[in-house]
Amino acid sequence: MKFTLDRGLLGRSAAIEKLRRLVEKASRNRLPVLLLGESGTGKEVAARAIFHSNPRGNFVPIDCGSLVGTLMESELFGHLKGAFSGATESKKGLVEIADGGTAFFDEIGDMPMEMQVKLLRVVQEQELRAVGSTQWRKVDIRIIAATHRDLKAEVAAGRFRQDLYYRLNVFTIHLPPLRQRKEDIPILVEHFLGGCHLELSREILDLLQSYDWPGNVRELQHCVDRMAAMQSEGALQMQDLPSALQYHRTSGGIERLSDAVEWDRDLPQVALAPPSPVISVPDSERQAIGAALAATHGERAKAARILKIGRTTLYRKMKQYGFD
């Protein structure tokens, strides 16, 4: 199936539309591209979109965080037979495999300094030298690099070469975090579900869109995978969601209750302890419901409105936690 930008970069938000335009512009040439964004925002998806919108040669992903130990230079640039103990035959490195195509250096900010100077030669001169060789070999590669780190700060701290940074920082694209494009969440959820039939209640969809997703699209995908797995055990319940989302929901209920008590002069003052990650989700729910009932003198309908949950949900929770 032919790759399209829409398949790789899903959504209708202004942020994702801007990203698509930048990806399309980056694909028109062979200049280095630097993708910046938090972990989980889809930097490799964007890199593949750049490549596939104007495909040429191979797309070779290189995990810079895994380049450790004595064989990292060989992994990148290859080696000749007999170059070191155990080198029983010559081997191409990842950069040479990308010759004629695109090398994607994922998490370039994690690359060791000794490899950065060798990569600089590849970027500047488009040439490499295998371990054990005395000859430089020309290569024709498009370089796309990505990182979640602030490379300017890394340069200032002496952990990243300034000359390499300027060579890579030719066409820079910032990937937006998911919290800045929450309107795309329903589209992403449908995509991650694939052919799996999973009906989500309005309450769960609202919760997904109110959460800030610190792990971004990757965290959302893992959440959808969990929901799909839990569905086989019956109707999806709030307790089937990941604990981070459950805690977010409970904390939100406490905050809404605090706000309601603040502005509603007809309600008595209620002292609420600040939410803490240490408290369990059931304890948080119990506290929020108890405070709401106390603030409304036991009026369940009003307590449900304050907590912004349905009355049926409130009654079920009251029974669960032993409220009369």
Side-chain angles (χ1 to χ4, degrees), residues 164-183:
L164 179 57
Y165 170 67
Y166 286 129
R167 285 290 181 178
L168 295 174
N169 191 30
V170 177
F171 196 117
T172 303
I173 298 177
H174 294 265
L175 276 78
L178 188 54
R179 63 181 173 275
Q180 292 180 5
R181 56 181 192 105
K182 289 185 176 181
E183 59 266 48

Side-chain angles (χ1 to χ4, degrees), residues 178 184-185 188-189 192 208 213 215-225 227:
L178 188 54
D184 293 333
I185 288 176
L188 290 165
V189 169
F192 293 141
L208 294 179
W213 300 102
N216 294 294
V217 179
R218 184 184 296 122
E219 183 184 7
L220 175 62
Q221 182 171 8
H222 291 165
C223 175
V224 172
D225 289 343
M227 290 192 298

Side-chain angles (χ1 to χ4, degrees), residues 62-68 105-112:
I62 300 170
D63 180 6
C64 297
S66 68
L67 296 175
V68 295
F105 290 86
D106 195 14
E107 292 304 342
I108 191 77
D110 294 341
M111 178 175 277

